Amino acid sequence: MTVQNEAPATGAGEALEVWIDQDLCTGDGICAQYAPEVFELDIDGLAYVKSADDELLQDAGATTPVPLPLLQDVVDSAKECPGDCIHVRRVADKVEVYGPDAE
């Protein structure tokens, strides 16, 4: 049985999570087009991450696990985001691996 709330491992065995900085979000919706299972635009016109149960997470800095089958879609969202507001980081040490603050 799979635990839905558990972040899957990347190829390196590291679980990833994603969050959106709504202060920088331009509301273009590119993220929701790439990965609608992970991102959604709210009535305020900004993008938010969703929980594994499809619940919109509207708290500032809210994170959600990156499902392994959607990893490339989430990475593409971060790369294509005009607001540079999508942050993908390792769960273990909170180091950003994709997004504007990635090394």
Side-chain angles (χ1 to χ4, degrees):
M1 184 166 115
T2 305
V3 178
Q4 285 190 358
N5 290 333
E6 196 172 273
T10 64
E14 297 170 314
L16 299 177
E17 62 188 3
V18 61
W19 66 282
I20 295 177
D21 183 344
Q22 278 78 29
D23 290 340
L24 299 176
C25 180
T26 59
D28 285 87
I30 291 171
C31 57
Q33 291 174 359
Y34 274 107
E37 303 88 347
V38 177
F39 305 107
E40 183 176 323
L41 291 176
D42 196 17
I43 194 166
D44 63 5
L46 301 177
Y48 295 86
V49 295
K50 299 192 304 186
S51 72
D53 297 327
D54 208 35
E55 177 187 346
L56 206 60
L57 303 176
Q58 295 174 300
D59 293 336
T63 64
T64 196
V66 177
L68 189 55
L70 299 176
L71 176 59
Q72 191 59 55
D73 293 334
V74 171
V75 169
D76 289 343
S77 297
K79 288 179 179 177
E80 298 296 325
C81 177
D84 284 333
C85 65
I86 300 173
H87 303 266
V88 181
R89 64 188 180 193
R90 289 190 299 254
V91 172
D93 59 7
K94 306 296 186 202
V95 170
E96 188 160 320
V97 291
Y98 302 105
D101 298 331
E103 296 177 4

